[in-house]
Amino acid sequence: MASLILIVAMFALLWVLLIRPQRQRTANQQRLIESIEPGDEILTVGGIYGIVEEIDEEDDLVVEIAEGIQVRVSRRAVAAVVKPEEDEDDEEEDEEPDDGAETESEEAFDEPDGVGTVNDREDEVRDEAAADPTAAPRS
């Protein structure tokens, strides 16, 4: 009797950990595919970005991947619908007019960590070599 309960518990655990999440992913992908409309930007499973221009009579998508270049893509080949970026307006507001003045980054150049130490050590080695011409050269 105990072994029967253990087997049933194992099947329940298998269903909760493997089968149920897979069904949810499949249902989410199906909803995504059905919700595609002209004007949506999509990403195909092949890694191609494009904008849906129309849906043809065979329920395939006509996608513009570059200006004037359209391809026909099966709905099943859509990996994701790309959300429009809302940061574009913020970036345009942050831009300052170029009045020829130098910015902070142009005024001061920050060396990476340790560069000054390496340069100082090179100067010391050169000074030592110039002071003692009999010293053997290092390789």
Side-chain angles (χ1 to χ4, degrees):
M1 184 66 172
S3 62
L4 181 63
I5 293 174
L6 182 62
I7 292 173
V8 170
M10 292 294 281
F11 278 115
L13 185 65
L14 177 75
W15 185 80
V16 168
L17 293 178
L18 297 176
I19 297 171
R20 187 168 174 254
Q22 180 62 35
R23 284 187 180 174
Q24 288 176 341
R25 281 191 295 270
T26 304
N28 288 341
Q29 182 69 17
Q30 189 63 33
R31 278 195 300 274
L32 173 82
I33 288 172
E34 290 172 357
S35 70
I36 296 172
E37 297 176 352
D40 289 344
E41 184 176 359
I42 62 167
L43 171 66
T44 67
V45 293
I48 298 174
Y49 287 91
I51 298 175
V52 178
E53 294 294 318
E54 64 181 273
I55 301 171
D56 67 10
E57 62 277 350
E58 296 171 5
D59 209 32
D60 287 339
L61 308 173
V62 176
V63 179
E64 183 175 38
I65 57 174
E67 190 173 326
I69 299 175
Q70 296 180 340
V71 294
R72 200 172 111 200
V73 177
S74 171
R75 280 185 182 259
R76 294 184 312 233
V78 174
V81 174
V82 180
K83 302 288 183 211
E85 293 183 18
E86 296 180 16
D87 298 336
E88 292 175 5
D89 295 335
D90 297 337
E91 290 175 8
E92 290 174 4
E93 292 173 3
D94 293 341
E95 290 180 10
E96 296 178 8
D98 187 19
D99 56 0
E102 293 183 9
T103 62
E104 267 186 47
S105 62
E106 293 172 344
E107 291 174 3
F109 173 71
D110 293 331
E111 292 180 341
D113 293 339
V115 170
T117 308
V118 171
N119 290 340
D120 293 342
R121 180 67 184 138
E122 286 177 358
D123 293 340
E124 290 173 15
V125 170
R126 281 193 205 106
D127 292 342
E128 289 173 6
D132 187 15
T134 60
R138 295 183 185 177
S139 34

